[in-house]
Amino acid sequence: MDTFTKKLKKAQNEKGPIRFKKGKADVDPACDPTMKHIAKILKDTPAFHVQVDGHTDNVGNPRATRSSRRKRAEAVVKYLVSKKGVDAKRLSAKGFGDTQPIADNKTEAGRTKNRRVDFTSRKM
């Protein structure tokens, strides 16, 4: 993981994870401090393209969860562009569904960790 991606991940660790309204692909307004911080990082470092990666747990229909995560990743992109002024050409979205867990899906705590938004960056 490159330094820039680590910086974006650290933003969520410090300011709080990006959350969504229950059952929807709408960014929870309570996440605005996190989104503001992420937007500042993006604006201060214009040499990177960032892919917003949507992940979920293994509960439910795999096709539906992958679609849900893609829509949530797209909602993060839309929020950063429309509400925080980030250049849309620097962002993209991809839904991974439950294909890249970071914790055990057998526990609620693990499933909670797997329902997340991550970032992947590359030099432009």
Side-chain angles (χ1 to χ4, degrees):
M1 183 182 310
D2 65 68
T3 304
F4 186 69
T5 300
K6 286 179 185 175
K7 192 181 280 191
L8 293 169
K9 187 168 189 68
K10 184 178 177 187
Q12 286 194 83
N13 291 336
E14 291 176 355
K15 302 290 183 183
I18 297 171
R19 298 202 186 278
F20 299 86
K21 293 179 182 176
K22 189 171 176 90
K24 300 197 181 242
D26 300 327
V27 175
D28 186 330
C31 298
D32 193 66
T34 301
M35 299 297 270
K36 182 178 180 180
H37 189 61
I38 289 169
K40 181 176 180 350
I41 292 168
L42 290 167
K43 289 176 181 179
D44 289 349
T45 318
F48 286 88
H49 177 273
V50 174
Q51 177 177 285
V52 179
D53 303 328
H55 301 275
T56 192
D57 58 33
N58 66 349
V59 176
N61 178 308
R63 179 183 281 165
T65 57
R66 191 173 307 115
S67 173
S68 168
R69 279 295 134 179
R70 180 184 48 77
K71 287 178 183 174
R72 286 183 171 188
E74 289 170 350
V76 170
V77 169
K78 182 178 177 183
Y79 192 102
L80 289 168
V81 170
S82 66
K83 296 185 188 259
K84 300 300 172 196
V86 176
D87 182 356
K89 290 179 269 182
R90 295 191 49 221
L91 300 169
S92 61
K94 185 170 183 179
F96 288 93
D98 65 354
T99 63
Q100 298 179 0
I102 58 170
D104 189 348
N105 273 311
K106 293 178 183 172
T107 68
E108 182 55 37
R111 288 188 296 274
T112 297
K113 288 181 181 179
N114 289 331
R115 293 187 299 264
R116 69 195 189 282
V117 172
D118 282 333
F119 300 94
T120 304
S121 64
R122 63 177 167 74
K123 277 261 201 200
M124 292 176 52

